[in-house]
Amino acid sequence: MVWLGALLLFLIAAVATLTHLQARPALPPPLSVPVRYTDVRKASGITFKHDGTETAEKNYLETMGNGAGWIDYDQDGLLDLYFPQTAATDWYKPSRPLRSELWRNNGDGTFTDVTDKAGVGAVGLYAQGVAVGDFDNDGYPDLYVTGYGRAILYHNNHDGTFTDVTASAGVGDDGQWSTSAGWFDYDKDGYLDLLVCNYIQWTPQTNLWCGEHRPGYRAYCHPDNYRGQHIRLYHNNHNGTFTDVSAKSGVAAPEAKGMGVVLADFNNDGWTDIFVANDTWPNFLFMNNHDGTFRDVSFSSGVAASEDGKYEAGMGVDASDADGDGWLDVYVTHLDFELSRFYHNNHDETFDDATYSSGIGNKAIMLSGVSGKFLDFDNDGWMDIFQTNGSMLDNIHLYHNEVTYPEPKLMYRNLGKGKFEKVSDLLGPDFIKPTVGRGSAVADYDNDGDMDIVISNRGDYPELLRNDGGNAHHWLEVMLVGTKSNRDGVGASLKLVSEGFTETKQRKGGMSYMSAHDPRVHFGLGQRKSIESLEITWPSGTVDKLTNVPINQIITVKEGAGIIPRKFPLVPSK
């Protein structure tokens, strides 16, 4: 019987070893091309620094942080940067004047502060986010800046300056706390309308004491302590003014705690829908009824809550076809001890919570996800997921010693068909450097074919992460110019076929968290060297089918006319 005992001990040891091996984290797969993200903010000359306005009173507004926005304001083919800034308050008097800032891309790797000349400082506004769109179809992008108590609409004057037209346009969102906003043409009349997310009913006078009553333990409060506000939808009247149709359209009916928004067509009917990420509140999915109204399918669709029915701290949101089936899936970021959620589109106005089956699972459970964005960072033709992180509590270590205030960024590489693996550690030290990240905006600012990222950090300088290596794979970027449709082409669907591989993209509105992104639609081609066709279905219903499309270029496509000449200067690396 001794041999039975020995066998039993062997089996126990084998099971223990197998369990240990299974519990060890798998090594990330090697990247198909080597990619590093390099922070070139300092070398670029950008000196903007976010002021967190922090005080011992822990006023709720302080912890939010800001977004960032890409905008080619002077239409020279180079994307410029806008940084929303906070403001002096009754409880905080800064040592220096505060203003939001516009930085011009000089085309040589550097940026110049042109805020004063442009007139977009938003002085006195405790700004939060930015949305970019050509609301009057004049060929120059305009700027909408959200904030606490009000918002500002700046009209582009075509000469490097802007005019504040908020009052005449009627989009001030007065008395609200606006966060993310997005431009889209919900009624397909050829003009961009404006969707504004509003947050909670908070004032300095209603600020509560949260956390323990001992030195250093006071904390920023949970949003459950405050009632929510309501989403606002402004319809473009084609004459420089807007009409508030929030109630008429149905989007203002439910109470909201809106943080992120993505405007896209989720049921492939050709009409743009609305997805709003709410903070500790049911997420919203409004389907477009084609008559100026929306259906609230938040609960029936399965995206209002997590798979186990919890309303989590929805912050950033984006949508993309992650598995190549031609339908948009959704990614929503959440705070630590929750899971950032990946919702798979079932093609019938319902979604499955595929967080675990996609491979994302609980890989970020100790991180507070703020902004989230789909992008193809390695140009292999599959949409990856980028996430900015940073705790909401500056003293989080006192309550959870395993959690830190600054946190590293995340990248989930799409292995194909919507299966993801975390590859953050492979993208260089600048990428995983811990920061108190808030908004992030994605763009090919140097026009070299791979996607760069700007990140807004609370109380600190931003990061300008240049993608080095992604363009080792082939690519295409498409700038849309609408004629019958809105000039930005928002709402257009693009289907690219390359050597039998099909990619479907949409020109979306909103995305991420309080930020504005590259207006061009980016396609990664991997090692494919030719494009059989590029079919663009415009919001007007016009369909342009292009053949013999060049690769490794930025092209401009005009509705009904095809590819037209336009320069996008290559910015040299420094």
Side-chain angles (χ1 to χ4, degrees):
M1 300 298 291
V2 174
W3 66 272
L4 288 175
L7 179 60
L8 180 61
L9 289 174
F10 172 79
L11 291 174
I12 292 173
V15 170
T17 301
L18 180 60
T19 301
H20 172 70
L21 290 174
Q22 289 175 335
R24 292 174 61 186
L27 294 174
L31 300 180
S32 53
V33 292
V35 176
R36 293 292 184 273
Y37 274 98
T38 305
D39 184 5
V40 296
R41 190 275 309 170
K42 193 171 183 179
S44 75
I46 294 173
T47 58
F48 173 84
K49 186 176 183 180
H50 177 260
D51 193 315
T53 70
E54 55 264 25
T55 67
E57 294 300 310
K58 299 288 184 181
N59 282 287
Y60 197 110
L61 185 60
E62 299 166 5
T63 192
M64 296 290 285
N66 293 58
W70 294 101
I71 174 174
D72 183 4
Y73 80 100
D74 52 1
Q75 290 295 278
D76 63 354
L78 296 163
L79 287 169
D80 314 298
L81 264 173
Y82 187 80
F83 295 104
Q85 180 62 287
T86 56
T89 66
D90 291 342
W91 67 87
Y92 179 80
K93 304 301 178 186
S95 58
R96 59 188 175 90
L98 297 180
R99 59 169 191 170
S100 298
E101 294 180 8
L102 176 63
W103 288 79
R104 182 179 183 272
N105 187 336
N106 297 322
D108 60 359
T110 67
F111 289 75
T112 298
D113 184 351
V114 295
T115 309
D116 290 339
K117 178 182 177 181
V120 291
V123 176
L125 173 66
Y126 201 109
Q128 295 279 262
V130 55
V132 174
D134 181 4
F135 75 83
D136 56 355
N137 291 336
D138 64 356
Y140 282 76
D142 308 300
L143 195 62
Y144 189 73
V145 186
T146 64
Y148 178 72
R150 62 188 177 95
I152 297 175
L153 176 60
Y154 288 112
H155 176 257
N156 194 323
N157 297 326
H158 313 177
D159 60 0
T161 70
F162 291 76
T163 299
D164 182 344
V165 296
T166 313
S168 59
V171 292
D173 201 40
D174 295 328
Q176 305 300 300
W177 182 349
S178 52
T179 53
S180 293
W183 296 96
F184 72 135
D185 183 6
Y186 75 92
D187 56 355
K188 300 211 289 189
D189 65 354
Y191 284 78
L192 291 178
D193 312 298
L194 180 64
L195 191 287
V196 182
C197 292
N198 290 308
Y199 191 41
I200 58 173
Q201 298 179 26
W202 174 90
T203 68
Q205 293 71 36
T206 60
N207 195 58
L208 304 174
W209 183 297
C210 294
E212 298 181 27
H213 284 266
R214 52 176 170 150
Y217 277 76
R218 186 170 184 178
Y220 294 105
C221 290
H222 194 276
D224 280 353
N225 290 286
Y226 302 96
R227 293 291 304 272
Q229 296 186 328
H230 294 270
I231 306 299
R232 282 192 173 171
L233 176 59
Y234 296 99
H235 177 260
N236 192 327
N237 298 325
H238 312 175
N239 60 1
T241 70
F242 292 76
T243 299
D244 186 341
V245 294
S246 311
K248 178 182 177 182
S249 66
V251 302
E255 182 179 327
K257 295 183 180 180
M259 295 291 266
V261 62
V262 59
L263 305 164
D265 179 6
F266 291 100
N267 60 358
N268 285 353
D269 66 352
W271 294 74
T272 305
D273 311 304
I274 301 168
F275 191 110
V276 174
N278 284 306
D279 193 359
T280 66
W281 201 252
N283 297 319
F284 295 158
L285 178 55
F286 295 110
M287 304 305 294
N288 196 320
N289 290 328
H290 313 175
D291 61 0
T293 68
F294 292 82
R295 288 177 289 120
D296 186 349
V297 300
S298 307
F299 288 94
S300 62
S301 67
V303 300
S306 65
E307 187 175 30
D308 50 358
K310 293 181 180 178
Y311 304 142
E312 296 173 308
M315 304 282 282
V317 62
D318 195 12
S320 186
D321 177 13
D323 56 359
D325 64 357
W327 297 72
L328 295 186
D329 311 300
V330 180
Y331 186 75
V332 184
T333 66
H334 297 113
L335 298 188
D336 49 16
F337 302 101
E338 299 175 340
L339 303 181
S340 292
R341 299 285 171 178
F342 177 74
Y343 295 101
H344 175 260
N345 192 324
N346 295 325
H347 312 175
D348 59 0
E349 296 189 5
T350 71
F351 292 75
D352 286 335
D353 185 341
T355 304
Y356 276 98
S357 61
S358 67
I360 294 170
N362 62 359
K363 290 184 173 68
I365 196 168
M366 292 298 181
L367 300 177
S368 291
V370 184
S371 58
K373 184 75 179 67
F374 283 101
L375 78 166
D376 185 358
F377 80 93
D378 56 356
N379 283 1
D380 67 350
W382 294 100
M383 294 300 285
D384 313 300
I385 298 174
F386 169 76
Q387 179 174 307
T388 301
N389 305 293
S391 176
M392 293 294 114
L393 302 182
D394 53 3
N395 56 359
I396 185 65
H397 63 284
L398 299 177
Y399 292 93
H400 299 289
N401 59 14
E402 68 273 41
V403 178
T404 61
Y405 185 42
E407 296 176 341
K409 290 159 281 294
L410 281 175
M411 185 75 80
Y412 293 111
R413 181 176 176 235
N414 192 332
L415 304 178
K417 300 295 184 181
K419 303 297 181 182
F420 296 90
E421 183 58 77
K422 179 182 170 184
V423 296
S424 314
D425 293 342
L426 302 180
L427 300 180
D430 288 348
F431 187 86
I432 58 174
K433 174 187 173 184
T435 63
V436 186
R438 293 297 186 255
S440 60
V442 172
D444 180 13
Y445 84 92
D446 50 4
N447 291 336
D448 68 349
D450 49 31
M451 303 311 291
D452 314 298
I453 308 169
V454 65
I455 298 161
S456 173
N457 294 311
R458 181 180 181 266
D460 205 347
Y461 295 101
E463 294 166 282
L464 178 55
L465 296 180
R466 186 185 65 206
N467 184 323
D468 294 326
N471 58 10
H473 273 154
H474 299 301
W475 54 277
L476 175 73
E477 292 173 25
V478 184
M479 184 75 179
L480 299 177
V481 177
T483 53
K484 295 179 181 178
S485 305
N486 66 85
R487 188 175 176 89
D488 288 350
V490 176
S493 175
L494 297 84
K495 181 180 178 180
L496 181 144
V497 179
S498 171
E499 299 179 18
F501 187 87
T502 301
E503 285 187 75
T504 302
K505 301 283 180 73
Q506 291 184 24
R507 175 69 164 91
K508 301 171 293 185
M511 299 173 283
S512 184
Y513 173 84
M514 304 190 194
S515 298
H517 311 272
D518 196 325
R520 301 166 297 194
V521 180
H522 171 261
F523 291 92
L525 301 176
Q527 297 181 5
R528 295 174 290 279
K529 298 179 180 179
S530 63
I531 296 173
E532 281 88 86
S533 65
L534 174 63
E535 184 174 292
I536 303 172
T537 303
W538 298 82
S540 68
T542 298
V543 178
D544 287 324
K545 188 166 184 178
L546 311 178
T547 56
N548 300 317
V549 178
I551 66 169
N552 300 333
Q553 292 186 31
I554 305 171
I555 63 172
T556 300
V557 180
K558 187 174 183 179
E559 183 177 9
I563 299 175
I564 62 172
R566 184 170 179 180
K567 292 183 178 181
F568 297 95
L570 178 65
V571 177
S573 298
K574 286 207 165 205

